[in-house]
Each structure stands twice: as C-alpha cells, then as structure tokens.
Amino acid sequence: MSKPDLHTILSPRLLDVYDIGNSIVVIIDVFRATSTIATALYNGAARVIPVDSVEKCIEIGSKVHGITAGERDGKVIEGLAHGNSPAEYPREVIEGKTLVLTTTNGTRLLHMALNNGAAEVVTGSFPNLQAVCDHLAASGRNVVLGCSAWKDRFNLEDTLFAGAVISAVKKSFTIHCDASLMAEQMYTAHRKDMKKFVRLTTHWHRLAAYGLEKDLEYCVTENSANILPVYRNGDLVVA
C-alpha cells in the first residue's frame, strides 16, 4: 500500500505550485501566531477566529464580543485589545472566550490555503508539536507543511518546525521533496541547541528589539500547549 505524500513550502509565494486539494495543510508561524493560537486554545479559549485585516478583526470582535488581538512591529495595533504574545492568554484571561486574531503572515497563509482548496487546515508550532505529529501520522492523507515566512521571505524558525514534524512522522509518508529534506536536516543538526540557534535568526533580532525574548524562547519549547487547532466553519477550535 502506497504512503501519502508530504511536502514543505518555504514561503506563501510557493503555495500555488502545489495541488493541495486532497491535503492537510499545516500553517506554521512559530514567531508567534500559531504558538499563540495553540496556547490560547490550550488555556480554554472557546475558539480563535483568524482574520487577515485589522478592520475585520475589529468588526468581528464587536459582533461576537470577542477579545481582539494583533500587532505590527511588536506593538498592539490601535483599536485592538491585545497583542500576539502567548503570555497574554493565561487561563484566567481566555477561558471560554473568543479570540479574534490578525497577524502579518500566519493568518494570511491560512486564508490562502483555504482559497486554494485545502482538504483540512490545522496550525502547528513547537508548543503543540506532538499533537500535530500524531494527527498527521494517523490521517492517511497527503500533507503540506506551510511555512508562513516573513513577508514572503524564507525564515529559519518555521522551517525548523517543519523539520521537527518530518523527523517524527517520516515513516508514515513518501517524501521526495528537497525543502523537506533540508528542513529535517536543519532540525536534526540543531535540536539540542534550539534556543541558541534561533537567536541567530532575523525574526529573533527583530522581535527581541521589542523585549520579547521570553516569548521567543517559549515559542521553541516543545509540547507546552499540546492540543490540535483545526479550522472549522471560520473558527480554529480544538480537534
């Protein structure tokens, strides 16, 4: 019996190259959208509504009496209540609430995947690594690991997460994909010094300038919010 295929895309610009109609697409935005989504849902959020603009965030947040969240350049966007930090969503803040989230890269790729006909969309980050891997290995479906990148430019942290997934699930898939090979080898080489290695990344330098080092270290900590966010009818909910 043939195994399903797994591919990695290193930037949203490459999504159109792939036929994703029969695939689970994993949206990866390690710093920090998908880490925040996993954390909020793990801490009891009823749902997360991902939107691709500030205007939609404010409009939908008002309609559903939700918590609106988003940042640009490390600062909470005017008109929104919170930012993109996982630390802002402990259980006492988020339990039972709806989080309406807009981000620069992750929510954009999520909507692109939906528009391109993905069979299923889930979100992945180091805090929910095991839940993602378990789901993919058991699914029997083709998988696309979608790195949100940074304004369409390759980044290391999303690729490292793709490599972590591949390292765990590769026996369940046929993988003839150079991006996946690179991602897995990068993760294998640096899994023991992850927090040190990610300090070299462009995104770390950009966000650390805003005092977000603790956020970033959390975002490369495995299985601290180990649930699977899946997109259903406009919402991300726990599978």
Side-chain angles (χ1 to χ4, degrees):
M1 183 176 174
S2 62
K3 297 177 183 179
D5 295 325
L6 183 148
H7 289 90
T8 301
I9 65 163
L10 301 177
S11 163
R13 284 285 185 99
L14 295 168
L15 185 67
D16 289 341
V17 175
Y18 296 89
D19 177 4
I20 64 172
N22 191 36
S23 298
I24 299 172
V25 178
V26 183
I27 306 299
I28 305 165
D29 190 356
V30 168
F31 292 158
R32 290 165 292 155
T34 55
S35 300
T36 296
I37 289 163
T39 301
L41 289 170
Y42 179 78
N43 285 331
R47 57 180 173 163
V48 177
I49 303 176
V51 296
D52 51 9
S53 74
V54 175
E55 294 75 18
K56 282 185 187 175
C57 191
I58 294 170
E59 178 187 350
I60 293 172
S62 176
K63 285 181 180 177
V64 302
H65 304 291
I67 296 172
T68 56
E71 292 180 8
R72 296 294 183 268
D73 298 323
K75 298 176 183 177
V76 178
I77 298 166
E78 187 176 349
L80 304 185
H82 287 269
N84 292 344
S85 169
E88 292 185 67
Y89 304 104
R91 187 167 292 273
E92 58 267 25
V93 170
I94 198 64
E95 189 169 22
K97 305 283 181 60
T98 293
L99 179 64
V100 188
L101 180 69
T102 180
T103 66
T104 307
N105 305 292
T107 51
R108 173 171 162 259
L109 178 57
L110 186 150
H111 287 287
M112 288 173 66
L114 293 169
N115 292 338
N116 282 31
E120 182 180 72
V121 172
V122 302
T123 68
S125 62
F126 285 103
N128 70 318
L129 172 63
Q130 190 63 51
V132 171
C133 294
D134 290 347
H135 180 64
L136 299 182
S139 70
R141 304 185 88 154
N142 295 336
V143 167
V144 172
L145 302 176
C147 299
S148 296
W150 170 245
K151 296 184 178 179
D152 291 327
R153 299 175 187 177
F154 169 86
N155 71 24
L156 282 175
E157 65 273 9
D158 292 350
T159 308
L160 279 169
F161 177 77
V165 172
I166 294 160
S167 179
V169 306
K170 60 186 178 182
K171 290 181 181 178
S172 300
F173 292 90
T174 298
I175 305 176
H176 298 309
C177 166
D178 288 356
S180 297
L181 175 64
M182 180 195 69
E184 186 198 2
Q185 292 201 350
M186 184 190 301
Y187 172 73
T188 300
H190 295 286
R191 63 189 305 173
K192 293 181 180 178
D193 67 339
M194 186 79 71
K195 290 181 180 178
K196 181 179 177 182
F197 183 58
V198 295
R199 288 176 182 272
L200 303 175
T201 67
T202 303
H203 223 150
W204 181 287
H205 286 289
R206 190 182 67 81
L207 292 170
Y210 302 118
L212 296 170
E213 291 95 337
K214 285 186 178 180
D215 258 23
L216 303 180
E217 287 192 352
Y218 170 82
C219 290
V220 292
T221 300
E222 294 182 6
N223 301 322
S224 52
N226 204 26
I227 50 84
L228 181 73
V230 58
Y231 187 87
R232 291 181 181 150
N233 302 315
D235 302 333
L236 286 161
V237 296
V238 178

